[in-house]
Amino acid sequence: MKIVSTKENLQVLYEDNHIIAINKRVGDIVQGDKTGDKPLSDVVKEYIKDKYNKPGEVFLGVVHRLDRPTTGIVVFARTSKALARLNELFKNRETQKTYWAIVKGKLPKSNDTLVHFLKRNEKANTSKAHLKEVPDSKRASLEYSTFKELNNYSALEIALHTGRHHQIRSQLSAIGYPIKGDLKYGADRSNPDGGIHLHARKLEFVHPVSKEDIIITAPVPDDPIWKAL
């Protein structure tokens, strides 16, 4: 069953005066879209308003996003100063993102670097990975390593070198190992909660105001395969 985040069950991973990091659930949408579903950004605003008895409108800046079926760390800015600096950090790739993914079977190489050229299809909301550059494509690179083998699955740790649309999903699909539950990219069946086994596990960055090194880790969802790790 799909559980979406509310101000009562929000999984807060880190919080101070300038930033707040949330462990996003499968059903959460980070920012409002055409579905009209309540976005995580609104839920976080309600949480802050309640917790700190804030009058009036609560400021919250969206810095980055995760695909709706994906889980894991999402950072929001609580001040305009933090928002401007976090935007720069993410734009200049001065953050280190680590993802975990579960794929079916055993990969021929336990670790590898994948380089593709991704072409986005706006209409279908997908990206296709090509081995050679094609018109309107963008270079995408990631590194993966298998850190655990389960009965029929492999658990991968992934470091992104670039941040492209659906990058991990399309690159793993291109080598024949789509993420568990990811029908859009070739998985053979969906997951009961409509999510996929892709989790934004760890985020490292320099705090936009205090300049401290921040390392945030998100617990995996409460699901038998994730828990087996």
Side-chain angles (χ1 to χ4, degrees):
M1 194 176 97
K2 192 191 288 185
I3 301 170
V4 294
S5 293
T6 63
K7 66 179 181 187
E8 291 79 22
N9 70 10
L10 199 62
Q11 302 178 84
V12 179
L13 300 169
Y14 178 91
E15 181 179 4
D16 63 24
N17 292 333
H18 294 281
I19 61 179
I20 182 166
I22 306 298
N23 193 4
K24 175 183 134 27
R25 293 177 165 93
V26 160
D28 297 337
I29 182 164
V30 175
Q31 212 175 9
D33 72 353
K34 59 180 185 287
T35 61
D37 293 345
K38 186 185 214 168
L40 190 57
S41 52
D42 282 4
V43 175
V44 177
K45 280 184 188 178
E46 287 174 1
Y47 163 85
I48 292 168
K49 194 177 176 76
D50 265 27
K51 184 171 177 179
Y52 301 102
N53 286 320
K54 281 193 173 279
E57 183 71 16
V58 170
F59 178 87
L60 193 78
V62 176
V63 180
H64 65 125
R65 294 166 192 79
L66 283 183
D67 299 339
R68 189 162 193 170
T70 304
T71 55
I73 303 165
V74 181
V75 174
F76 296 97
R78 291 191 54 197
T79 60
S80 50
K81 183 179 181 179
L83 178 61
R85 292 181 181 175
L86 282 171
N87 280 338
E88 282 299 301
L89 284 178
F90 276 82
K91 193 176 110 190
N92 299 330
R93 305 209 57 76
E94 290 167 31
T95 58
Q96 265 186 291
K97 298 176 188 173
T98 304
Y99 287 81
W100 282 4
I102 291 175
V103 299
K104 199 169 180 182
K106 183 180 172 179
L107 284 85
K109 291 182 182 174
S110 59
N111 50 66
D112 201 5
T113 298
L114 304 181
V115 178
H116 291 92
F117 292 88
L118 264 51
K119 182 165 180 168
R120 187 168 177 176
N121 179 336
E122 297 274 356
K123 211 170 185 178
N125 191 31
T126 54
S127 285
K128 186 165 171 54
H130 299 267
L131 286 172
K132 296 200 168 104
E133 200 168 352
V134 297
D136 303 320
S137 64
K138 289 178 175 170
R139 187 179 180 278
S141 168
L142 63 77
E143 204 173 321
Y144 76 80
S145 59
T146 304
F147 69 92
K148 185 144 188 185
E149 282 175 9
L150 305 162
N151 291 344
N152 303 309
Y153 300 100
S154 297
L156 312 179
E157 184 163 285
I158 294 156
L160 283 178
H161 303 150
T162 52
R164 307 296 183 205
H165 175 256
H166 289 187
Q167 178 177 338
I168 299 173
R169 297 167 69 181
S170 61
Q171 285 198 272
L172 288 177
S173 173
I175 62 164
Y177 290 88
I179 293 167
K180 185 180 179 303
D182 200 357
L183 292 180
K184 197 172 239 186
Y185 286 96
D188 51 10
R189 65 175 69 148
S190 60
N191 289 339
D193 62 3
I196 63 174
H197 276 75
L198 178 61
H199 182 68
R201 172 68 175 174
K202 196 160 83 172
L203 183 64
E204 299 172 63
F205 59 98
V206 173
H207 192 285
V209 181
S210 72
K211 304 300 179 199
E212 290 172 82
D213 287 333
I214 302 287
I215 299 174
I216 301 169
T217 305
V220 291
D222 188 10
D223 152 288
I225 293 187
W226 281 127
K227 291 297 179 193
L229 305 182

